[in-house]
Amino acid sequence: MAESTSDLPESVKDYMRLAIKLAKQSPPKPTNFCVGAILVDEAPNKVLSTGYTLELPGNTHAEQCCLQKFATQHGKSEDDIVDLLPRGTVIYTTMEPCGKRLSGNLPCIDRILNTRKGVHGGIETVYHGVSEPETFVGQNTGRARLEAAGIKCVHVSGFEQEILEVATAGHPQKEDA
């Protein structure tokens, strides 16, 4: 079951603040959420990679950019990084990872699940700031898939309003009635 607490260590909140800062770098579009993500080796508290929506060519999501950049740093493809991720790897993302992509790209949930094939167990925890709004693909059932695979999902509360303002930049605004 997903945790949600405001009593998380300050470092968790600091990483979420950094993820929001990254999300603000994402080019606003009406067809994407502006999301930031950070891949972290939790034990030494070391950032492995960062990413934001549309940072890399194509219709790329933040988690996808994080993993692809980590792969590039090691001269590997994203599929070949599973044994490079250290035990205790976590990912911070302003919005829960997508479970479905309309673009035909691999959903971020599947990318995270693929890391579990490695010798160190891949990504162990997903920290997210908000649930994915149903704007584009309906209800996101990805969190249940992550938890079923033994990946802990933690909602980092207190940032929802800022995250949604950043995430929906470029979206048509609803007029006040």
Side-chain angles (χ1 to χ4, degrees):
M1 185 170 168
E3 288 186 26
S4 180
T5 178
S6 58
D7 297 327
L8 292 169
E10 198 58 38
S11 62
V12 170
K13 295 174 187 175
D14 288 340
Y15 278 125
M16 190 55 65
R17 287 182 193 100
L18 178 56
I20 293 168
K21 187 175 179 179
L22 289 164
K24 290 178 180 179
Q25 295 178 53
S26 179
K29 288 178 62 177
T31 56
N32 287 88
F33 291 115
C34 297
V35 176
I38 308 165
L39 193 64
V40 175
D41 181 352
E42 199 165 47
N45 202 25
K46 178 184 174 190
V47 173
L48 301 173
S49 184
T50 63
Y52 58 86
T53 305
L54 302 176
E55 179 181 10
L56 298 177
N59 186 13
T60 54
H61 284 191
E63 301 90 340
Q64 177 182 2
C65 291
C66 242
L67 293 169
Q68 286 180 353
K69 287 169 58 181
F70 180 78
T72 299
Q73 291 168 17
H74 294 279
K76 301 281 186 183
S77 73
E78 185 181 337
D79 291 337
D80 294 329
I81 64 167
V82 295
D83 292 332
L84 297 175
L85 291 171
R87 188 173 316 285
T89 298
V90 302
I91 193 164
Y92 292 84
T93 180
T94 55
M95 185 175 291
E96 71 178 318
C98 68
K100 183 178 181 181
R101 298 282 298 269
L102 298 177
S103 66
N105 285 328
L106 188 66
C108 296
I109 293 292
D110 293 320
R111 292 173 188 281
I112 292 168
L113 290 171
N114 286 345
T115 71
R116 301 293 280 181
K117 298 173 185 172
V119 295
H120 302 297
I123 294 172
E124 296 179 4
T125 304
V126 174
Y127 293 96
H128 67 279
V130 297
S131 296
E132 181 181 18
E134 296 184 11
T135 308
F136 301 119
V137 295
Q139 185 177 9
N140 184 349
T141 58
R143 184 169 44 208
R145 289 180 53 212
L146 291 173
E147 291 171 342
I151 298 173
K152 189 175 173 181
C153 295
V154 180
H155 172 233
V156 182
S157 62
F159 300 96
E160 294 84 357
Q161 182 176 345
E162 183 179 8
I163 288 170
L164 288 171
E165 285 174 6
V166 171
T168 57
H171 292 205
Q173 299 301 310
K174 294 178 183 174
E175 294 183 28
D176 294 328

